[in-house]
């Protein structure tokens, strides 16, 4: 399944759990190469990048994915967490506010924003 982004993402996640970080990274990179808008693949690769100390690369990857898919709540929430982890609270809050805009009738995004503030 070298050309199936979903299966590569699943295997990459399994490899990460088994501490095979180089294998996980290879699978995640290939999955994103095949399907750059696949949210799970992007999330996995960003997580592995952060784990490797590549915070700026992870942030760029997520920002690019959000630009291509601006209605993605999941990617915005992950990007908010990355910004918060980097101490960029204004950017984190902006992402959380956008999530609330995207899901105005849902309680969890509002609660997440309130807790963050």
């Amino acid at each position: 399944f070298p050309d199936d982004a979903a299966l590569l993402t699943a295997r990459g996640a399994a490899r990460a759990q088994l501490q095979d970080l180089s294998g996980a990274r290879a699978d995640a990179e290939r999955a994103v190469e095949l399907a750059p808008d696949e949210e799970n693949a992007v999330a996995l690769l960003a997580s592995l990048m952060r784990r490797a100390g590549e915070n700026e690369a992870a942030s760029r990857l997520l920002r690019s994915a959000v630009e291509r898919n601006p209605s993605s709540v999941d990617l915005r929430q992950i990007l908010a967490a990355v910004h918060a982890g980097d101490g960029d609270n204004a950017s984190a809050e902006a992402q959380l506010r956008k999530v609330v805009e995207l899901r105005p009738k849902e309680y969890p995004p509002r609660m997440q924003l309130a807790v963050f503030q």
Side-chain angles (χ1 to χ4, degrees), residues 26-91:
D27 285 345
E29 287 175 346
R30 178 70 177 142
V32 169
E33 178 184 321
L34 291 168
D37 295 329
E38 170 57 45
E39 292 181 11
N40 291 327
V42 170
L44 176 62
L45 182 54
S47 171
L48 293 166
M49 288 173 159
R50 297 239 340 138
R51 199 168 178 176
E54 300 169 30
N55 297 346
E56 182 54 37
S59 184
R60 274 194 314 273
L61 173 69
L62 288 163
R63 283 193 312 266
S64 176
V66 166
E67 286 174 15
R68 287 190 311 277
N69 188 0
S71 64
S72 173
V73 168
D74 292 338
L75 290 177
R76 285 186 181 281
Q77 288 175 322
I78 295 167
L79 183 55
V82 168
H83 285 316
D86 290 342
D88 185 355
N89 291 334
S91 294

Side-chain angles (χ1 to χ4, degrees), residues 2-4 18 20 37 45 49 54 64 85 101 115:
D3 291 329
D4 188 315
L18 295 171
D20 176 6
D37 295 329
L45 182 54
M49 288 173 159
E54 300 169 30
S64 176
E101 286 177 29
V115 168

